[in-house]
Amino acid sequence: MESSAGKGGVFPERVGAAFRMLMEIRMLITALSMLLLPREHLTVGVFVLMFSMVLLSWGTARKWRVVAPRVAAHPSLYTLDMFLSFAVLGVGGIAGPYFLSTVATATVAGLLYRWPGMLFVASLQILVYYVTYLLTAAQAGGMTFQSLLGQPLYYPLAGFAGVALRRLLDDHAAKEAALRQAQVLAAAAEERARLAREMHDSLAKTLRGIALAASALPLWAMRDAKRAALEAEQIAIAAAVASHEARDLLTELRDDAVTRSLHEALREAAERWAEETGIAVTCDLDARVEPELRMRHEAVAILREVLTNVERHAKADSVKVRLVKEQDDLVLTIADDGGGFQPRQLTDLAREGHYGLIGLHERAQRVGGTVTISSRPGEGTTVSARLPADVSGDVPLAEVS
């Protein structure tokens, strides 16, 4: 028989849920059949057998994640269940309501084994049905078209329903997989376009500025030695910024964050940084926060930029990273226990070479968010980025506080 497991041996979730539903239906049918049984036929043996069937169906439905894959992989287990259901039919008779509980068995066969397995099980059920019919001929009340031909036909029909249900589930899963693949390809294309824009807007402009400053440096060296030294220092700072921007772009080119959730990407970035720097990082990330791709990228980029600043300036022993959702915004907070600093205006930070802090505000602004930086000398620094769940336009830059 054809196994129901997907590629790599993974049992399909929706198929398992349908298996559970069919087991619950069989449990209800068996329980109702027991209630409909005439009192004179409800002996202790009958009650025990029927109650065992109800318990088996209930337990199978409850533990379907364990039972369904094993039954799909080992059809012999399924035949044992099938013969138990026919034992119930033999006790109650083929003309009673117990017949419906055996029909559900054929539907499950179609769900788990598709056409080949379903036809085998349905044929076996028809054979056992006629054996049961001969053994209970006295209870059947005579031969009728319904009992002789009509009822056995329910087995392949119910099996066909199971096969059709499985096909619908498989088609839906295939469409979902194709949709996810299309989303990943679209996200990758958008990511390439975004990296091209950033390379033009950041790295290219920085290198152009370095080139202009370097071309004027010989002139300043002849006219004003102090100014030339200042310009050389600024060129060195700009070159360091360009190197940092190039490294970030290369890191993003190698990154596969488009295929992962936000909390996974944030955790990986934080743990990788902690391993490289030796600074302890604690993450408290809400897995339910999942924005669209552009927002996800900026959140990860902000975290990386903040951690880079911590490594360069904070002299911290530990960092705490927290991600929560507040109303319609996601809030990413990075707090360190480093030396802190006295807040400055953005223009002052630029003169002092803190370009990373300025980049944080620019990244947040691109997706309509804000960044708040709180710090005091000796009390560490806390960076809080508030980003909308959906990109909806620009918001004025927040001041450093």
Side-chain angles (χ1 to χ4, degrees):
M1 293 183 187
E2 186 178 356
S3 174
S4 182
K7 294 182 179 180
V10 179
F11 193 81
E13 185 82 10
R14 287 188 175 88
V15 174
F19 174 84
R20 179 186 61 184
M21 179 190 67
L22 291 173
M23 287 296 103
E24 291 173 345
I25 291 174
R26 192 179 72 170
M27 177 188 68
L28 293 174
I29 290 175
T30 307
L32 290 174
S33 300
M34 187 167 53
L35 293 175
L36 294 174
L37 187 68
R39 182 173 299 179
E40 60 272 15
H41 293 165
L42 189 61
T43 63
V44 175
V46 172
F47 177 81
V48 171
L49 186 60
M50 298 293 294
F51 190 69
S52 299
M53 189 69 175
V54 171
L55 284 180
L56 176 63
S57 300
W58 175 80
T60 302
R62 182 177 177 84
K63 299 294 183 180
W64 67 270
R65 294 183 185 277
V66 177
V67 176
R70 292 188 178 181
V71 172
H74 304 285
S76 59
L77 297 175
Y78 191 77
T79 58
L80 292 175
D81 177 85
M82 185 183 69
F83 282 114
L84 176 60
S85 66
F86 272 98
V88 174
L89 186 63
V91 170
I94 60 173
Y98 308 102
F99 173 77
L100 294 177
S101 64
T102 64
V103 172
T105 304
T107 307
V108 175
L111 178 71
L112 293 183
Y113 307 121
R114 302 182 179 89
W115 277 111
M118 184 276 292
L119 292 176
F120 174 79
V121 170
S123 299
L124 188 59
Q125 283 186 296
I126 293 174
L127 175 63
V128 177
Y129 170 86
Y130 282 121
V131 172
T132 307
Y133 176 77
L134 294 176
L135 295 175
T136 60
Q139 304 176 26
M143 184 181 298
T144 64
F145 176 83
Q146 180 67 20
S147 60
L148 188 61
L149 294 176
Q151 290 186 175
L153 287 177
Y154 279 102
Y155 296 127
L157 290 176
F160 172 77
V163 172
L165 176 60
R166 179 59 188 270
R167 182 179 297 173
L168 287 175
L169 294 175
D170 288 345
D171 288 346
H172 185 69
K175 289 178 181 178
E176 279 196 340
L179 178 60
R180 286 194 298 269
Q181 182 65 21
Q183 289 175 339
V184 169
L185 293 176
E190 182 179 344
E191 187 73 356
R192 288 193 296 269
R194 183 196 59 76
L195 288 172
R197 289 194 303 270
E198 287 200 1
M199 188 173 293
H200 176 270
D201 294 341
S202 59
L203 182 60
K205 289 182 179 179
T206 302
L207 293 175
R208 191 179 303 114
I210 292 174
L212 291 174
S215 63
L217 187 59
L219 182 61
W220 287 115
M222 290 185 297
R223 293 184 177 182
D224 189 340
K226 291 184 178 180
R227 178 63 183 271
L230 180 61
E231 290 294 326
E233 182 180 354
Q234 293 298 322
I235 291 174
I237 293 174
V241 172
S243 175
H244 175 63
E245 291 175 347
R247 185 183 67 180
D248 285 348
L249 288 171
L250 290 174
T251 299
E252 292 171 12
L253 283 172
R254 293 192 299 266
D255 193 19
D256 61 346
V258 296
T259 63
R260 291 173 291 133
S261 59
L262 176 58
H263 74 279
E264 290 175 335
L266 290 173
R267 187 180 300 277
E268 181 177 331
E271 291 177 351
R272 184 187 303 169
W273 178 83
E275 183 178 351
E276 293 175 353
T277 61
I279 301 175
V281 175
T282 303
C283 295
D284 180 14
L285 309 174
D286 189 345
R288 297 170 298 177
V289 178
E290 195 54 54
E292 52 95 31
L293 174 66
R294 183 181 172 192
M295 190 69 64
R296 186 164 71 234
H297 166 78
E298 296 300 348
V300 175
I302 287 173
L303 173 64
R304 286 175 176 158
E305 187 64 50
V306 172
L307 293 178
T308 299
N309 289 333
V310 171
E311 178 185 0
R312 290 179 176 176
H313 309 293
K315 298 180 180 179
D317 296 322
S318 64
V319 177
K320 294 181 180 179
V321 181
R322 185 168 182 260
L323 176 69
V324 296
K325 186 173 183 179
E326 296 181 358
Q327 296 179 348
D328 294 331
D329 298 333
L330 64 90
V331 180
L332 175 64
T333 304
I334 306 102
D336 67 70
D337 61 355
F341 64 95
Q342 188 64 39
R344 297 284 194 278
Q345 295 295 323
L346 294 181
T347 52
D348 297 332
L349 292 174
R351 284 195 295 268
E352 295 174 6
H354 297 290
Y355 296 99
L357 298 180
I358 299 174
L360 296 179
H361 294 282
E362 292 176 346
R363 286 189 176 278
Q365 185 187 36
R366 278 200 291 265
V367 291
T370 59
V371 169
T372 301
I373 304 174
S374 300
S375 184
R376 293 290 182 273
E379 297 181 4
T381 302
T382 299
V383 178
S384 181
R386 179 176 290 272
L387 309 175
D390 298 314
V391 180
S392 58
D394 292 344
V395 175
L397 292 176
E399 291 298 324
V400 180
S401 61

